[in-house]
Amino acid sequence: MSAATPTVTSKTPSYDALATANRRIYRLEHLQSMAGWDQAAVMPPKGSEARAAALAELATLVHGLRCDPSRSELIARAEQEPLDAEQRANLREVRREFDLATALPAELVQARQIAGSRCEHAWRRQRPANDWPGFAENLREVVRIARQEAELLSQHLGCSRYDALMQRYEPGMSNAELQRLFGDLQGWLPALVARVRDKQSSEPVLQPQGPFDVAAQRLLCERVMRLLSFDFEGGRLDVSAHPFSGGVPEDVRLTTRYREDEFLTSLMGTIHETGHGRYEQNLPRPWLGQPMAQARSMAIHESQSLSFEMQLGRHPGFVGLIAPWLAQAFGAQPALEAENLQRLVTRVEPGFIRVDADELTYPAHVLLRWRIEHALMEGDIEVADIPALWDEQMQQLLGVDTRGNYRDGPMQDVHWTDGSFGYFPCYTLGAMYAAQWFAALRAARPQLDEDIARGDFEPIFGWLRENVWLSASRWTTAELTQRASGTQLDPVHLRRHLERRYLGA
Amino acid sequence: MSAATPTVTSKTPSYDALATANRRIYRLEHLQSMAGWDQAAVMPPKGSEARAAALAELATLVHGLRCDPSRSELIARAEQEPLDAEQRANLREVRREFDLATALPAELVQARQIAGSRCEHAWRRQRPANDWPGFAENLREVVRIARQEAELLSQHLGCSRYDALMQRYEPGMSNAELQRLFGDLQGWLPALVARVRDKQSSEPVLQPQGPFDVAAQRLLCERVMRLLSFDFEGGRLDVSAHPFSGGVPEDVRLTTRYREDEFLTSLMGTIHETGHGRYEQNLPRPWLGQPMAQARSMAIHESQSLSFEMQLGRHPGFVGLIAPWLAQAFGAQPALEAENLQRLVTRVEPGFIRVDADELTYPAHVLLRWRIEHALMEGDIEVADIPALWDEQMQQLLGVDTRGNYRDGPMQDVHWTDGSFGYFPCYTLGAMYAAQWFAALRAARPQLDEDIARGDFEPIFGWLRENVWLSASRWTTAELTQRASGTQLDPVHLRRHLERRYLGA
């Protein structure tokens, strides 16, 4: 800068310094995210050790930047600076992230990482072997550490232990709120499942006959992604063992997995990930690099994937649109006609496995996990108590007997193996939010069903863009919900949606 | 560490600290390398701005680690420590890298980066438009900065300017040495080209008729890579606009490019990159993360790609092996029979473009670039003098008239646009080294031609592994050459190889 150039003195130097540091972190996280995608989607097996070392090195570096002690002072000073409303919202998120990042001592974070890796690694063998005692031993250590984390976080954040753990995924959510929402759900879900199963027992459904060419599935998935306005100039679809939405807002990397014997998993999974992906692709560009530009929470993210997969993707109008594409992809057969396809994607069948569950029974899987992990974290039960509780709840909610079947019972999910307690509720909160968004949409636009059947999704995407995507983390989740739908989160919308779709009520 | 554990006091604390820092840098460079591969091979266009910012952020960080002022003191202390021979060799490389990294002030590095980006970016338009005046304007700035770099580096390293620039690519090489090697080459090359063209004028060659299915080309390339023992468990082949060998030794990422109208470019290009790739895959594992484990130099790297592409890939025995595979891939036709194929891959045809040149005329393209860039850097000529010199040399070396054709003359390469002066000689040095390796191999194993024709490449790979790959940067290039072949680099081996292959002499 030449001597003649006048220097503008910022009135918000501390805020500016934080914003600059945020951008640096954002850029480094870009590389973490891409290396993570690469690891899952394209990396050959012998690259794995070097990749793990490289990612650990960068994680240490980013963690150091996040927890830089000077941030504490900068945040306190920035809070006294003349910020505008958006800057203030951003600073709220900066403080939230900093508090979460610094609440735990490094040794505890490392201990969790080691115990989690060990448990998860052994679980890959133990689950197929149905080895509950072996798994329980590792899980006890994971639980012990998670309770310590919960205790420290709860002191730091001033809330209960389980509430404290949830803040990582769902800022502002509390167990009291979950009791209101999930208590309501538990009241009507089992009876609804029973009524729907009774109704569907007289509605025969044909199973599509494979094989289903993988290349044709891929083209079909990409075609449906285009129908859903996924921007392929700023993203890709690839293959990984466990499908996910990764990458960065500027370059969204979705994955799916193809099976020759059936195509619905890859197709519906892709629609699900496309919901996540479009949220990311439409986060507010001018704010990218700042915490305020991030997706609001895990439940709000899931509300987008479920808006796509459940609200839209299983809507009869949508199914009617894509049914002819399936016949083009795989050859015509009666099972691929619209009416049968609609029955296929809304078939209700209680089962053991959460990730295979249908729209109606899925929340039951979440309810039981929530009750168990909450009791575990608050110290009301121990690891040894899990199988009996699991079976009791599965019997009660879905009429399924899981005794002795740990593999398809409490050992089925990866979440607990690395101590991600407090995450499961987000799935069903997401379903509730999605139902609430569509209720608000429908109230504003009564002809929504005709829009969908015509393939005109712009009313939906426009509403989501305005109310969710571009809001990012500008508002708290409660504020966002209120602004978007006029009320707080209300489980009645999920109930009405399910009753209408599954009972025609 | 508990109080009861005895602490081992290292006798080489400074060396150890350097080694630890080297490993950190290596891990971060892993992410740079992978993000670079991603950018070229899979990234969608809208990801490019965020990627550039992320890579710049990490580059700043790595540069900071490389130039950390404490390294200077650590290196000096380590040089006094009781190191073994390997550690001492590693320390030599550490110092070399540090000296190069710290010789230039940050502003000059940045100025070069800006001028280089501008020149390269404009060149993409200017080249197709044959706009020499526009290009020359930007190139003048690039040259001005490169001369400053050369001046500072030459003071720092105590050698001439052009020698100093070459140290980045070819440590230990000097222009005096190039004059010995390239002076010899220039003495016999034009006459050899003339004799070969005369001989080939009576040897008709059939052109294969396309189209050549791209999927079949890909399978063919992968098949040939397997024949060449490329380890697909630790690497991949993908597509990019400009083929390269990237990734890291643990995960080598090669790329190629397919054209429907001809297949030799992708096939021979893949064989070339496989040579680079196998060198990387076979660098000494226990030393990875240290400078001593890196490939020796650009010319030695090129000696591997040319050992694969030229010495082996155009050997009649090799061509005989893969000819039936081509017929399988694309359908049989007379042009794909072994004898014609051999003529195709050894056809000599002077032309404008270096990257399209055959084995025999390629060195002429390098000779002329070397003369011009050396004169430019030593201040003997200016940018405005380039076209006339270019034409004069092309006339003299290859009998080609380039007047007014800047696009296919001095504007054809990307190297000068970003100031990479001193790189071009490595291509032809690589060809000389490759010929020297095969001469040594042949002396040790007279039945080498039969080995090749039988598809038994293990004698070749074993020799390269022992003498080049596992040596990495353990020895200087001169030492490596002496140990591998018993003499210093001697252009007679390239001459003999070309005379034997092209004249049957």
Side-chain angles (χ1 to χ4, degrees):
Chain A
M1 194 178 292
S2 87
T5 312
T7 333
V8 179
T9 309
S10 168
K11 287 179 178 141
T12 57
S14 298
Y15 178 86
D16 297 347
L18 287 166
T20 300
N22 292 337
R23 269 190 295 274
R24 281 195 73 193
I25 293 172
Y26 181 76
R27 287 171 184 156
L28 296 175
E29 285 176 337
H30 173 119
L31 299 169
Q32 289 183 300
S33 188
M34 286 302 161
W37 170 84
D38 185 278
Q39 194 169 29
V42 298
M43 186 183 78
K46 289 183 184 171
S48 109
E49 208 177 315
R51 178 64 50 86
L55 281 172
E57 192 66 53
L58 188 55
T60 303
L61 218 147
V62 168
H63 185 72
L65 293 174
R66 276 201 179 292
C67 299
D68 186 330
S70 73
R71 274 170 98 80
S72 174
E73 178 69 20
L74 280 175
I75 292 171
R77 281 204 219 133
E79 282 168 348
Q80 306 306 319
E81 291 176 344
L83 306 179
D84 65 27
E86 288 193 339
Q87 290 172 320
R88 206 154 285 286
N90 192 39
L91 188 59
R92 179 195 66 218
E93 297 300 316
V94 171
R95 174 171 281 291
R96 191 177 68 71
E97 284 191 354
F98 181 74
D99 286 348
L100 274 176
T102 54
L104 302 176
E107 310 82 66
L108 189 60
V109 174
Q110 206 187 356
R112 176 193 172 180
Q113 218 264 311
I114 292 167
S117 290
R118 180 178 301 136
C119 185
E120 197 249 316
H121 200 259
W123 166 77
R124 293 186 211 174
R125 285 181 292 98
Q126 289 162 340
R127 189 190 170 198
N130 202 35
D131 176 12
W132 171 256
F135 177 66
E137 193 182 324
N138 289 329
L139 186 60
R140 264 196 299 276
E141 177 63 5
V142 171
V143 166
R144 191 184 67 76
I145 291 167
R147 283 172 174 170
Q148 279 184 269
E149 291 189 311
E151 179 59 32
L152 284 170
L153 281 171
S154 86
Q155 288 164 18
H156 205 79
L157 305 175
C159 58
S160 81
R161 292 173 184 176
Y162 188 69
D163 286 6
L165 291 176
M166 267 195 296
Q167 301 315 302
R168 292 167 166 171
Y169 314 111
E170 204 50 35
M173 184 50 64
S174 69
N175 201 62
E177 181 72 353
L178 284 185
Q179 270 163 343
R180 174 177 78 81
L181 299 164
F182 287 4
D184 181 282
L185 177 69
Q186 182 144 18
W188 48 262
L189 187 67
L192 180 58
V193 170
R195 285 176 66 198
V196 170
R197 296 205 67 205
D198 184 54
K199 175 169 181 287
Q200 291 189 344
S201 66
S202 62
E203 295 169 349
V205 62
L206 298 171
Q207 289 302 323
Q209 299 304 307
F212 304 97
D213 180 58
V214 163
Q217 286 190 60
R218 190 174 60 77
L219 291 174
L220 174 66
C221 285
E222 289 177 351
R223 187 175 183 186
V224 171
M225 286 170 75
R226 275 189 206 95
L227 176 68
L228 295 170
S229 301
F230 182 83
D231 182 1
F232 277 99
E233 295 278 293
R236 297 176 51 98
L237 176 69
D238 294 277
V239 169
S240 72
H242 303 283
F244 65 95
S245 165
V248 293
E250 303 92 335
D251 181 0
V252 168
R253 304 287 173 96
L254 307 185
T255 70
T256 188
R257 189 178 39 170
Y258 303 104
R259 291 169 44 169
E260 274 230 316
D261 62 336
E262 71 88 37
F263 64 90
L264 273 176
T265 308
S266 77
L267 178 61
M268 300 314 291
T270 299
I271 296 173
H272 181 97
E273 301 304 339
T274 303
H276 286 307
R278 290 215 62 204
Y279 187 9
E280 291 289 320
Q281 286 188 326
N282 287 281
L283 289 169
R285 290 303 161 117
W287 277 89
L288 284 187
Q290 299 301 325
M292 201 190 85
Q294 289 174 5
R296 179 59 275 186
S297 70
M298 290 302 126
I300 299 299
H301 229 309
E302 197 70 10
S303 82
Q304 298 311 294
S305 53
L306 295 178
S307 286
F308 277 59
E309 185 198 348
M310 298 299 178
Q311 296 293 330
L312 181 55
R314 284 173 161 81
H315 186 285
F318 186 88
V319 171
L321 280 173
I322 65 167
W325 297 7
L326 306 195
Q328 287 166 27
F330 308 122
Q333 54 173 289
L336 297 183
E337 284 167 19
E339 198 187 348
N340 188 70
L341 200 59
Q342 177 64 25
R343 286 187 179 184
L344 266 174
V345 299
T346 52
R347 203 66 180 179
V348 175
E349 191 84 64
F352 294 113
I353 306 297
R354 177 182 59 85
V355 296
D356 295 339
D358 54 78
E359 183 178 17
L360 197 58
T361 60
Y362 196 105
H365 294 271
V366 171
L367 275 176
L368 93 92
R369 283 160 177 76
W370 163 59
R371 291 210 183 285
I372 292 173
E373 68 176 18
H374 174 262
L376 256 185
M377 286 304 106
E378 296 295 350
D380 301 334
I381 63 166
E382 294 303 327
V383 168
D385 303 321
I386 295 175
L389 274 169
W390 190 283
D391 185 64
E392 180 194 306
Q393 299 262 320
M394 282 298 277
Q395 292 279 9
Q396 188 186 317
L397 290 164
L398 293 176
V400 167
D401 183 350
T402 67
R403 280 172 297 176
N405 186 355
Y406 309 104
R407 172 180 22 210
D408 298 329
M411 288 177 75
Q412 69 182 268
D413 299 300
V414 74
H415 302 59
W416 287 345
T417 67
D418 78 341
S420 297
F421 301 102
Y423 188 98
F424 277 124
C426 301
Y427 293 116
T428 291
L429 290 172
M432 288 182 176
Y433 280 117
Q436 186 150 331
W437 306 151
F438 271 72
L441 252 162
R442 216 175 283 278
R445 193 166 173 90
Q447 68 276 41
L448 193 71
D449 294 322
E450 293 84 66
D451 292 339
I452 294 174
R454 240 189 7 254
D456 179 8
F457 308 146
E458 206 30 54
I460 297 172
F461 297 155
W463 191 95
L464 292 175
R465 187 183 295 115
E466 207 52 49
N467 288 284
V468 181
W469 301 342
L470 289 178
S471 289
S473 292
R474 170 69 181 84
W475 316 101
T476 65
T477 311
E479 287 166 348
L480 181 150
T481 309
Q482 189 74 36
R483 294 173 69 94
S485 62
T487 66
Q488 63 174 334
L489 181 59
D490 187 341
V492 73
H493 300 295
L494 180 60
R495 179 180 187 168
R496 283 196 196 132
H497 158 69
L498 294 173
E499 287 175 348
R500 190 167 49 233
R501 174 167 292 174
Y502 289 89
L503 293 176
Chain B
M1 195 177 293
S2 86
T5 312
T7 333
V8 179
T9 309
S10 167
K11 287 181 179 142
T12 57
S14 298
Y15 178 85
D16 297 347
L18 287 167
T20 300
N22 291 338
R23 268 190 295 274
R24 282 195 73 192
I25 292 172
Y26 181 75
R27 288 171 183 157
L28 295 175
E29 285 176 337
H30 173 120
L31 300 169
Q32 289 183 301
S33 189
M34 286 302 161
W37 170 85
D38 185 280
Q39 195 169 30
V42 298
M43 187 183 77
K46 288 184 184 170
S48 109
E49 207 177 316
R51 178 64 51 87
L55 282 171
E57 191 67 52
L58 189 55
T60 303
L61 218 146
V62 168
H63 185 73
L65 294 173
R66 276 201 179 291
C67 300
D68 186 332
S70 73
R71 275 171 97 80
S72 174
E73 178 69 19
L74 280 174
I75 292 171
R77 281 204 218 132
E79 280 166 350
Q80 305 308 318
E81 290 175 345
L83 305 180
D84 65 26
E86 289 194 337
Q87 290 173 320
R88 206 155 285 286
N90 191 39
L91 188 60
R92 177 196 67 217
E93 296 301 315
V94 171
R95 173 170 283 290
R96 193 178 66 72
E97 284 191 355
F98 181 75
D99 286 348
L100 274 177
T102 54
L104 301 176
E107 310 81 67
L108 190 58
V109 174
Q110 206 186 357
R112 177 193 171 180
Q113 217 264 312
I114 291 168
S117 290
R118 180 177 302 136
C119 185
E120 195 249 316
H121 199 259
W123 166 77
R124 295 186 210 171
R125 283 180 294 99
Q126 288 162 342
R127 188 189 171 200
N130 202 35
D131 176 13
W132 170 258
F135 178 66
E137 192 182 325
N138 290 328
L139 185 60
R140 264 196 299 276
E141 177 64 5
V142 171
V143 166
R144 191 184 65 78
I145 292 167
R147 283 172 174 171
Q148 280 185 266
E149 291 188 311
E151 179 59 32
L152 284 169
L153 281 171
S154 87
Q155 288 166 17
H156 205 79
L157 305 175
C159 57
S160 81
R161 291 174 185 177
Y162 187 69
D163 286 6
L165 292 176
M166 267 195 298
Q167 301 314 302
R168 294 168 165 169
Y169 314 110
E170 204 49 36
M173 184 49 65
S174 69
N175 201 61
E177 181 73 352
L178 284 184
Q179 270 163 342
R180 175 177 76 84
L181 300 164
F182 288 3
D184 181 280
L185 177 68
Q186 183 144 18
W188 48 261
L189 187 66
L192 180 58
V193 170
R195 285 176 65 197
V196 171
R197 294 205 68 205
D198 184 53
K199 174 169 183 286
Q200 291 190 343
S201 66
S202 62
E203 296 168 348
V205 62
L206 298 172
Q207 289 303 321
Q209 299 305 305
F212 303 96
D213 181 57
V214 163
Q217 287 190 59
R218 189 173 59 76
L219 291 174
L220 175 66
C221 285
E222 290 177 353
R223 190 175 181 185
V224 172
M225 286 170 75
R226 276 190 205 93
L227 176 69
L228 295 170
S229 302
F230 181 83
D231 182 2
F232 278 100
E233 296 277 295
R236 297 175 51 97
L237 175 69
D238 294 277
V239 170
S240 71
H242 304 284
F244 65 96
S245 166
V248 294
E250 303 93 335
D251 180 0
V252 168
R253 304 288 173 96
L254 307 185
T255 69
T256 187
R257 188 177 39 168
Y258 303 105
R259 290 170 45 169
E260 275 232 315
D261 61 337
E262 71 89 35
F263 66 89
L264 272 176
T265 308
S266 77
L267 178 61
M268 299 314 290
T270 299
I271 295 173
H272 181 97
E273 300 305 337
T274 302
H276 285 307
R278 290 215 62 204
Y279 188 9
E280 290 289 320
Q281 286 188 326
N282 287 281
L283 289 168
R285 290 303 162 118
W287 277 89
L288 285 187
Q290 299 303 325
M292 201 192 85
Q294 288 174 7
R296 181 55 279 183
S297 70
M298 290 301 126
I300 299 298
H301 229 309
E302 197 70 9
S303 83
Q304 299 311 293
S305 53
L306 295 178
S307 286
F308 276 58
E309 184 197 348
M310 298 299 178
Q311 296 292 331
L312 181 56
R314 284 172 162 80
H315 186 285
F318 186 88
V319 170
L321 280 173
I322 65 166
W325 297 6
L326 305 194
Q328 285 165 27
F330 308 123
Q333 54 173 289
L336 298 184
E337 284 166 21
E339 198 186 347
N340 187 70
L341 202 58
Q342 177 65 23
R343 287 187 179 185
L344 265 175
V345 300
T346 52
R347 204 66 182 179
V348 174
E349 189 85 64
F352 294 115
I353 306 296
R354 175 183 59 86
V355 296
D356 295 339
D358 54 80
E359 184 178 17
L360 196 59
T361 60
Y362 196 107
H365 294 272
V366 171
L367 277 176
L368 95 92
R369 283 160 180 76
W370 163 60
R371 291 210 183 283
I372 292 174
E373 68 176 19
H374 175 262
L376 255 186
M377 287 304 106
E378 297 293 351
D380 301 334
I381 64 165
E382 295 302 327
V383 168
D385 303 321
I386 295 175
L389 274 170
W390 190 283
D391 186 63
E392 180 195 306
Q393 298 264 320
M394 282 298 278
Q395 293 278 9
Q396 187 186 319
L397 290 164
L398 293 176
V400 166
D401 182 351
T402 67
R403 279 172 297 176
N405 187 356
Y406 309 104
R407 170 178 27 208
D408 298 328
M411 288 177 75
Q412 69 183 267
D413 298 300
V414 75
H415 302 57
W416 286 345
T417 67
D418 77 341
S420 297
F421 300 102
Y423 188 98
F424 278 123
C426 301
Y427 292 115
T428 291
L429 290 172
M432 289 182 176
Y433 281 117
Q436 187 150 331
W437 306 153
F438 271 72
L441 251 161
R442 217 175 282 277
R445 193 167 172 88
Q447 69 274 44
L448 193 71
D449 294 323
E450 294 84 65
D451 293 338
I452 294 173
R454 239 187 11 253
D456 179 9
F457 308 146
E458 205 32 52
I460 297 172
F461 297 154
W463 191 96
L464 292 175
R465 187 183 295 113
E466 208 52 49
N467 288 284
V468 181
W469 303 343
L470 289 177
S471 290
S473 292
R474 170 68 181 86
W475 316 102
T476 65
T477 311
E479 288 166 350
L480 181 149
T481 308
Q482 190 73 36
R483 295 172 69 94
S485 61
T487 66
Q488 62 174 336
L489 182 59
D490 187 341
V492 74
H493 300 296
L494 179 61
R495 179 180 187 166
R496 284 197 197 129
H497 157 70
L498 294 173
E499 286 175 349
R500 189 167 48 233
R501 175 167 290 172
Y502 290 88
L503 293 176

